[in-house]
Amino acid sequence: MQTTIRQRFENIDYLDIALWVLRIVIIVAVLWGTVATILDNPYSTEQWLDFLIFGLAQGSLYALIALGYTLVYGVLLMINFAHGEFFMAGIFTATVFVAIPLDASGFTDRHPIWALLVIAVVAIATSMGIAVLTERVAYRPLRRAPRLVPLITAIGASFFWQYFFRGLYGSGITAFPDVALLKGSWTILGLEILKSQVVVIVASVLMLIGLYIFVMRTRMGKAMRAVSEDKDVAALMGIDVDRVIMITFAVGAAMAGAAGVLYALMYRQVHFFMGFFPGLKAFTAAVLGGIGSVPGAALGGLLLGLFESVGPCLFLEGLGITSPYQLKDVIAFTMLVLVLLVRPQGIMGERLAEKKA
Amino acid sequence: MPMLEVDNIHTYYGNIQALKGISLTVEEGEIVTLIGANGAGKSTTLWTIAGLLKPRQGKVFLEGEDLAGYKAHEIVYKGVALVPEGRRIFAKLTVAENLDMGAYHRSDRAGIAEDLERAFTLFPRLKERRSQVAGTLSGGEQQMLSTARALMARPRLMLLDEPSMGLAPVLVENFFETIQEINRDGTTILLVEQNAHMALQVAQRGYVLETGAIMLSDTADGLRQNPMVQKAYLGME
Ligand SMILES: Nc1ncnc2c1ncn2[C@@H]1O[C@H](COP(=O)(O)OP(=O)(O)OP(=O)(O)O)[C@@H](O)[C@H]1O
Ligand SMILES: [Mg+2]
């Protein structure tokens, strides 16, 4: 149907106009900054590539954590704000009980691969255990409550685990012991890349692919998708819905546990508050990609990581902002707000309004 | 011992009482129909039998066993399959995946493959569309998928809730023949229908439900000849 210009004007409301103005202002600012940066060119090609690789590594961590948000949202339409704590609990425990003793005994130097495997297994198992416990004790009894109730409970659970582990392992920053095997860098296609970043990117991509296959191809994956569409009818198929929900939490937490190990390899430190910002960023990534969508979480994570690492220098430097890198969090959360304003269903998501009811 | 015995069930939605003491039996091998006006409690009765709703009072027995302690998915293991009202297929899964879900609790691969072939013979349309996302099927095709999906559980007792809804008139007759065929293959059927005409043709016995209680129960022929049924459900004066 053709709409005349007049009709179009009549249909526009002020919020739309405000949104358009906002979009235009941001696009102009970004373009201006980008052009100015390029003309000025304060960084070398190597430096740009460094930003890019770092962004990819950071983004793949976000993607791994974002999967937990997206899977749980898919089956329960609930945002599990305690997910960042699952990420923290695994690697914090594995650092205190495995990484540090193994390093002190010299085992890590002698058998680095085995040491990393044990660390990963303990971290992943702890994350899964905490997630399953949280689901069973705090969320399952509220399954039929209004949606705001589990949301608030999740925030409570998040605080609970933060202070639980703070009480258990202390409030200081604990150094994650260096793994000699992963120190230094490799030269790949003429580029010097930190070994730890290569490991992070490769491991994350493999896990993302594995999870996608799990969800699309396996019996349990299909059951998860069935439960996310219609719980009553899933039960009529002989699916134990409570069990599927528990497994969904466990799978998401396994990804978070693995992300915790990779995080420790990259940043070489852990602490009780470490789940907060990565959790929030990963949530942003999940919303950006379209919460509920597995490929969306992966894409959202990578995009967010790239924007955060390349964005400050590319967009902001040219605007005359000094030390723009400190503003990377601003970029991340500006993106969250923009996505919510402009495309609330995210890049690959469907409209939330349709899914509810 | 009857296949299914429903004994004086009272089911509530919160404080609203939907069933006020329903009792009915279905013998092995029968087709029994449940007819009644909108809101009479037909769907509620089926959901209570399937274990998705728990009766506040009364019991459901499957071959003499009290189902009170079982969850809905465990009742499926016992051989009960419900085709819910309004199709309720998994719209984002493919046709083949929907059928897989019907056989979720089974592990006999050969038997599953056999039942898949049978479902495709009964509903050839589904075979053509097996790799299509189910949400893109027409309403009638979705209804067929919903029935075929329940068959994949190889149920001994099938509860059908208005399975002919949305089917083109030319397909309705065919569909009821299919239901009789399923029954001849050994599946006992409890059929809820808006189309009382067809339902009373394929069923041996029937119950008439009104505002949560059984008003009448008779053979299908008996009900067809009953002036009250003729007036209220068969549209005759
Ligand atoms: N989820 C619900 N919450 C509250 N009341 C409900 C709910 N579902 C059904 N009811 C009520 O229970 C009664 C029985 O409903 P039910 O769906 O079993 O009727 P029905 O015979 O299947 O009707 P129809 O022919 O329209 O499918 C109705 O009065 C209905 O309003
Ligand atoms: Mg009904």
Side-chain angles (χ1 to χ4, degrees):
Chain A
M1 197 179 69
Q2 279 287 7
T3 43
T4 64
I5 289 174
R6 204 188 137 81
Q7 274 170 331
R8 291 192 74 153
F9 271 110
E10 279 167 359
N11 288 334
I12 288 174
D13 65 38
Y14 292 104
L15 183 66
D16 273 339
I17 295 174
L19 281 179
W20 273 109
V21 171
L22 188 68
R23 270 177 256 192
I24 289 165
V25 166
I26 286 174
I27 288 170
V28 167
V30 164
L31 284 180
W32 185 288
T34 307
V35 170
T37 306
I38 289 171
L39 290 180
D40 196 35
N41 201 11
Y43 299 101
S44 65
T45 314
E46 283 75 43
Q47 278 172 313
W48 283 118
L49 286 172
D50 272 352
F51 290 146
L52 209 69
I53 305 268
F54 177 78
L56 275 180
Q58 183 64 59
S60 43
L61 286 185
Y62 292 155
L64 280 183
I65 306 172
L67 286 174
Y69 286 101
T70 250
L71 289 174
V72 166
Y73 186 87
V75 294
L76 287 181
L77 295 184
M78 167 198 165
I79 291 160
N80 173 25
F81 274 117
H83 187 63
E85 270 50 66
F86 302 166
F87 159 85
M88 171 274 294
I91 188 57
F92 206 169
T93 304
T95 304
V96 172
F97 287 110
V98 185
I100 291 175
L102 285 187
D103 182 59
S105 72
F107 181 87
T108 307
D109 283 334
R110 274 176 280 127
H111 307 285
I113 302 279
W114 283 110
L116 283 173
L117 268 179
V118 178
I119 292 167
V121 167
V122 171
I124 290 171
T126 309
S127 291
M128 289 169 86
I130 299 286
V132 169
L133 190 68
T134 308
E135 192 274 327
R136 185 72 194 77
V137 174
Y139 301 159
R140 192 180 300 180
L142 303 172
R143 198 72 46 84
R144 307 223 169 243
R147 285 178 74 192
L148 193 58
V149 176
L151 192 72
I152 292 168
T153 308
I155 294 172
S158 170
F159 281 118
F160 173 82
W161 288 122
Q162 275 179 27
Y163 288 93
F164 179 86
F165 284 101
R166 181 188 151 149
L168 215 55
Y169 306 139
S171 61
I173 289 176
T174 307
F176 183 83
D178 276 332
V179 180
L181 183 70
L182 297 180
K183 281 182 94 166
S185 48
W186 281 311
T187 311
I188 299 173
L189 301 172
L191 263 179
E192 277 211 0
I193 307 177
L194 290 177
K195 288 180 184 176
S196 57
Q197 288 181 356
V198 176
V199 170
V200 168
I201 294 170
V202 171
S204 306
V205 168
L206 289 179
M207 272 186 289
L208 291 171
I209 293 171
L211 186 95
Y212 186 72
I213 292 172
F214 172 77
V215 170
M216 295 312 288
R217 291 270 173 268
T218 65
R219 213 168 80 102
M220 183 49 65
K222 286 180 206 167
M224 279 182 186
R225 288 186 285 140
V227 167
S228 83
E229 275 198 53
D230 191 332
K231 287 180 195 48
D232 285 331
V233 176
L236 289 178
M237 303 293 111
I239 296 172
D240 184 344
V241 174
D242 281 338
R243 188 163 159 269
V244 169
I245 290 173
M246 192 190 82
I247 290 172
T248 305
F249 271 86
V251 169
M255 295 287 148
V261 176
L262 299 174
Y263 177 95
L265 292 176
M266 226 163 106
Y267 294 100
R268 302 205 297 278
Q269 60 179 39
V270 296
H271 52 99
F272 79 96
F273 198 62
M274 68 184 277
F276 184 75
F277 273 106
L280 216 51
K281 298 279 183 63
F283 169 65
T284 305
V287 173
L288 178 64
I291 194 153
S293 154
V294 168
L299 187 67
L302 289 175
L303 276 181
L304 186 66
L306 285 174
F307 266 73
E308 252 189 41
S309 75
V310 178
C313 303
L314 187 61
F315 310 147
L316 302 180
E317 182 100 25
L319 297 177
I321 296 169
T322 46
S323 44
Y325 209 72
Q326 290 170 5
L327 293 175
K328 71 184 174 63
D329 292 347
V330 174
I331 290 206
F333 296 121
T334 306
M335 271 175 84
L336 177 62
V337 173
L338 283 183
V339 171
L340 290 175
L341 282 175
V342 176
R343 194 176 156 85
Q345 74 271 36
I347 299 169
M348 308 187 71
E350 28 196 313
R351 287 200 163 274
L352 298 183
E354 282 168 21
K355 191 154 179 184
K356 257 326 286 171
Chain B
M1 184 185 302
M3 181 91 196
L4 174 72
E5 184 182 350
V6 175
D7 181 22
N8 191 32
I9 51 171
H10 295 66
T11 303
Y12 289 73
Y13 292 101
N15 288 322
I16 306 162
Q17 183 170 14
L19 301 186
K20 302 165 181 161
I22 300 274
S23 297
L24 58 86
T25 56
V26 181
E27 299 292 335
E28 179 158 10
E30 272 190 313
I31 300 182
V32 173
T33 184
L34 202 57
I35 53 184
N38 293 126
K42 306 178 297 289
S43 300
T44 307
T45 304
L46 296 192
W47 278 51
T48 309
I49 297 168
L52 285 166
L53 294 169
K54 292 293 171 193
R56 205 174 277 186
Q57 190 189 320
K59 284 187 185 306
V60 177
F61 299 93
L62 187 71
E63 295 187 309
E65 186 184 9
D66 184 355
L67 294 182
Y70 295 107
K71 293 186 182 157
H73 69 269
E74 293 166 329
I75 292 174
V76 178
Y77 306 159
K78 298 194 169 292
V80 180
L82 167 60
V83 177
E85 185 176 359
R87 313 192 278 266
R88 310 265 300 249
I89 46 119
F90 300 115
K92 287 188 234 157
L93 272 57
T94 64
V95 169
E97 286 172 337
N98 267 275
L99 294 171
D100 281 353
M101 286 296 103
Y104 181 79
H105 67 286
R106 296 171 61 186
S107 48
D108 55 321
R109 281 168 182 272
I112 295 174
E114 206 175 282
D115 287 350
L116 190 64
E117 268 321 302
R118 176 160 158 258
F120 284 152
T121 316
L122 291 173
F123 303 104
R125 217 36 114 64
L126 298 179
K127 188 168 190 172
E128 295 164 28
R129 309 204 180 288
R130 62 201 297 177
S131 48
Q132 193 170 324
V133 174
T136 62
L137 295 181
S138 77
E141 289 166 341
Q142 292 186 8
Q143 189 64 67
M144 294 176 202
L145 177 59
S146 184
T147 307
R149 184 179 63 179
L151 274 179
M152 290 303 293
R154 196 177 277 191
R156 288 182 301 147
L157 172 65
M158 213 166 162
L159 313 170
L160 292 156
D161 199 345
E162 305 193 11
S164 71
M165 212 152 55
L167 288 184
V170 289
L171 288 177
V172 169
E173 196 126 347
N174 197 305
F175 183 81
F176 279 99
E177 275 166 25
T178 306
I179 288 180
Q180 282 178 302
E181 205 173 318
I182 292 167
N183 175 249
R184 274 197 300 276
D185 288 348
T187 307
T188 306
I189 288 175
L190 178 57
L191 171 68
V192 164
E193 256 306 327
Q194 289 278 316
N195 189 338
H197 255 297
M198 288 307 297
L200 289 173
Q201 261 176 45
V202 299
Q204 284 100 51
R205 292 190 302 115
Y207 292 87
V208 177
L209 208 60
E210 251 172 48
T211 55
I214 302 278
M215 294 310 291
L216 263 178
S217 105
D218 202 345
T219 60
D221 282 335
L223 288 175
R224 261 195 305 218
Q225 258 118 59
N226 185 309
M228 194 284 276
V229 174
Q230 288 182 346
K231 188 160 180 283
Y233 303 105
L234 297 173
M236 301 186 220
E237 282 304 319

